[in-house]
Amino acid sequence: TITYPSSFMLVASMNPSPGGYFNDPDAPVSSSPAEMQRYLSKISGPLLDRIDIHIEVTPVPFEKLTETRPAESSIAIRERVTKAREIQSQRFELFDNIHYNAQMSTKQIREYCALDDTSLQLLKTAMERLNLSARAYDRILKVSRTIADLEQSERVNPSHIAEAIQYRSLDREGWLG
């Protein structure tokens, strides 16, 4: 057996139901909640637990597609991401093999994701109500640190925690209603 050093980013997608139209108000309901739950349970909880961000993408209505209102440009988004990566590079410049937030150890999470009482209470409530794992807890903190970096915020604040919690949709008990 040979082990090679590697680092990768997994980006995956899946249909939310066998018919692919879960939560689409304009689509015919073709699967029962039990069928959808059985379909979703094919993806193991421990695997989902290791994915940092889960988001549900709903169909975009025609009116939104044809809006003329200007959106944030790709150049502006790229600049924001580049600045966040620079912040992370500076944060971890004294560490070997750590270059960005996703690579933080538990010790580094505690140091760089220190939370105020409001943020702690918000995270505690989410952990209890959503029945989240310890691994999900760490993932939420890493993602919230990245959200803070994107805003060039020194500290992780409650809005960063709340947004990171929203990115754990497949962890939620009763996701199918």
Side-chain angles (χ1 to χ4, degrees):
T1 302
I2 298 174
T3 303
Y4 294 101
S6 66
S7 180
F8 70 94
M9 179 184 298
L10 173 67
V11 178
S13 67
M14 63 183 267
N15 284 330
S17 66
Y21 294 106
F22 174 73
N23 220 12
D24 182 351
D26 298 325
V29 177
S30 60
S31 302
S32 71
E35 289 172 316
M36 289 188 278
Q37 187 61 56
R38 188 170 43 256
Y39 177 79
L40 285 175
S41 69
K42 291 180 180 185
I43 307 295
S44 78
L47 176 62
L48 285 174
D49 215 18
R50 288 169 170 81
I51 298 175
D52 292 355
I53 299 174
H54 319 153
I55 58 170
E56 179 182 347
V57 180
T58 55
V60 180
F62 180 78
E63 293 75 24
K64 287 274 190 191
L65 289 172
T66 57
E67 271 185 359
T68 57
R69 182 179 55 151
E72 185 176 18
S73 73
S74 295
I75 292 170
I77 294 168
R78 180 178 47 208
E79 288 172 359
R80 207 162 22 98
V81 170
T82 299
K83 181 63 179 163
R85 291 298 299 259
E86 288 171 5
I87 290 168
Q88 292 173 34
S89 291
Q90 290 171 2
R91 178 180 299 129
F92 301 119
E93 67 186 350
L94 300 178
F95 297 96
D96 291 331
N97 301 318
I98 299 176
H99 307 286
Y100 45 89
N101 295 336
Q103 298 173 315
M104 285 190 286
S105 68
T106 302
K107 180 181 176 186
Q108 292 154 340
I109 291 170
R110 301 299 176 257
E111 180 178 350
Y112 298 114
C113 304
L115 303 180
D116 61 21
D117 290 340
T118 305
S119 297
L120 275 173
Q121 187 57 46
L122 177 62
L123 190 49
K124 178 183 180 198
T125 301
M127 295 293 296
E128 291 170 353
R129 286 191 181 162
L130 303 176
N131 197 26
L132 300 176
S133 68
R135 184 173 282 120
Y137 174 84
D138 284 349
R139 302 264 186 228
I140 289 168
L141 288 174
K142 290 176 184 182
V143 170
S144 64
R145 177 68 265 171
T146 300
I147 295 166
D149 291 343
L150 287 166
E151 292 183 2
Q152 298 181 33
S153 173
E154 290 287 323
R155 297 191 49 80
V156 173
N157 67 44
S159 68
H160 304 138
I161 293 291
E163 184 174 344
I165 290 166
Q166 291 301 308
Y167 297 143
R168 299 298 301 185
S169 64
L170 293 176
D171 286 338
R172 294 186 197 135
E173 296 259 328
W175 186 69
L176 292 173

